[in-house]
């Protein structure tokens, strides 16, 4: 199984503690082993393929935001602790800017999360400008983008991950309107697989 970068940073100390504690305090060794196993499971990175044409979800989880921002639509996906936390590119394009903004660590599903730490990825697409935002949650303390300015972005390709809880948004190109949306708040989606919007050709 493939894992997101950084898994060793959290999992190895837990497994090492389990090995040290096993002959001294077996119950504590089991706890450490369980923590290591949970961390490894949390950083899992399964293969994904889009289920059809259109904009794919940037994250596993539940759609928590659908709103208009000027002439564009934003779709946000909240990732809880059981979801895969590797994020995917929603469309093909070229990355124009990757910017980091420090901020709070409010629960990623709350309205206050707009002020959280985040990484915004501006993308030029054939259908106009778009943006992907990786937003830290209450327990997330680090956002790991895999992309940089000038990179080509491929639909469903891995673009980053966030340690321990978060939200990923996609600001759709202005060519999309509400009639093109295929999801609503509360829907479950899978990164790189579920289609969140598609236009008639």
């Amino acid at each position: 199984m493939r894992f997101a970068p950084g898994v060793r940073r959290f999992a190895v100390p837990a497994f090492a503690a389990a090995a040290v504690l096993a002959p001294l305090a077996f119950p504590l060794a089991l706890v450490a082993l369980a923590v290591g196993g949970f961390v490894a499971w949390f950083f899992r990175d399964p293969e994904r393929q889009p289920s059809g044409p259109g904009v794919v979800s940037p994250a596993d989880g539940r759609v928590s935001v659908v709103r208009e921002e000027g002439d564009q639509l934003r779709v946000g996906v909240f990732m809880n602790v059981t979801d895969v936390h590797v994020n995917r590119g929603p469309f093909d394009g070229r990355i124009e800017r990757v910017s980091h903004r420090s901020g709070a660590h409010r629960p990623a599903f709350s309205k206050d999360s707009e002020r959280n730490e985040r990484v915004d990825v501006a993308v030029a697409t054939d259908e106009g400008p778009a943006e992907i935002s990786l937003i830290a949650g209450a327990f997330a303390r680090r956002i790991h983008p895999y992309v940089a300015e000038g990179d080509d972005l491929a639909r469903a390709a891995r673009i980053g991950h966030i340690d321990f809880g978060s939200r990923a948004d996609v600001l759709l190109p202005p060519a999309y309107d509400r009639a093109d949306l295929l999801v609503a708040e509360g829907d479950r989606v899978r990164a790189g697989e579920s289609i969140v919007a598609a236009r008639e050709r």
Side-chain angles (χ1 to χ4, degrees):
M1 176 179 284
R2 178 171 175 160
F3 296 95
V7 64
R8 288 189 177 90
R9 177 186 174 196
F10 297 103
V12 169
F15 288 134
V20 170
L21 289 168
L24 304 173
F26 190 70
L28 291 179
L30 289 178
V31 171
L33 186 63
V35 169
F38 168 76
V39 169
W41 175 75
F42 181 89
F43 278 84
R44 68 199 186 278
D45 184 7
E47 295 297 328
R48 295 285 174 80
Q49 293 293 329
S51 59
V55 178
V56 298
S57 174
D60 278 25
R62 193 172 297 279
V63 176
S64 60
V65 174
V66 176
R67 68 166 180 258
E68 295 179 10
E69 293 187 6
D71 61 349
Q72 292 177 268
L73 288 166
R74 177 177 295 276
V75 178
V77 180
F78 170 68
M79 294 172 274
N80 68 30
V81 73
T82 62
D83 292 312
V84 172
H85 277 61
V86 175
N87 303 124
R88 304 281 184 148
F91 27 59
D92 293 328
R94 187 164 182 82
I95 295 174
E96 296 189 318
R97 185 181 68 258
V98 178
S99 57
H100 174 267
R101 187 184 79 190
S102 299
H105 290 273
R106 307 289 186 184
F109 55 82
S110 72
K111 292 181 180 179
D112 290 338
S113 65
E114 299 299 328
R115 296 192 292 273
N116 280 9
E117 179 179 357
R118 64 194 289 153
V119 169
D120 294 313
V121 181
V123 183
T125 78
D126 290 342
E127 297 172 312
E131 186 177 76
I132 310 158
S133 297
L134 308 182
I135 304 169
F139 299 104
R141 286 298 180 267
R142 192 169 183 186
I143 302 171
H144 305 268
Y146 303 164
V147 294
E149 181 178 337
D151 288 351
D152 289 327
L153 177 66
R155 177 173 174 255
R158 297 169 176 88
I159 60 169
H161 77 274
I162 312 173
D163 294 342
F164 303 110
S166 46
R167 194 179 104 197
D169 290 8
V170 54
L171 188 65
L172 299 174
Y176 289 83
D177 58 29
R178 283 195 174 267
D180 301 317
L181 287 177
L182 301 178
V183 295
E185 290 186 15
D187 288 352
R188 292 282 308 176
V189 290
R190 286 163 59 92
E193 181 177 303
S194 302
I195 309 303
V196 299
R199 297 178 60 215
E200 293 286 340
R201 299 298 182 193

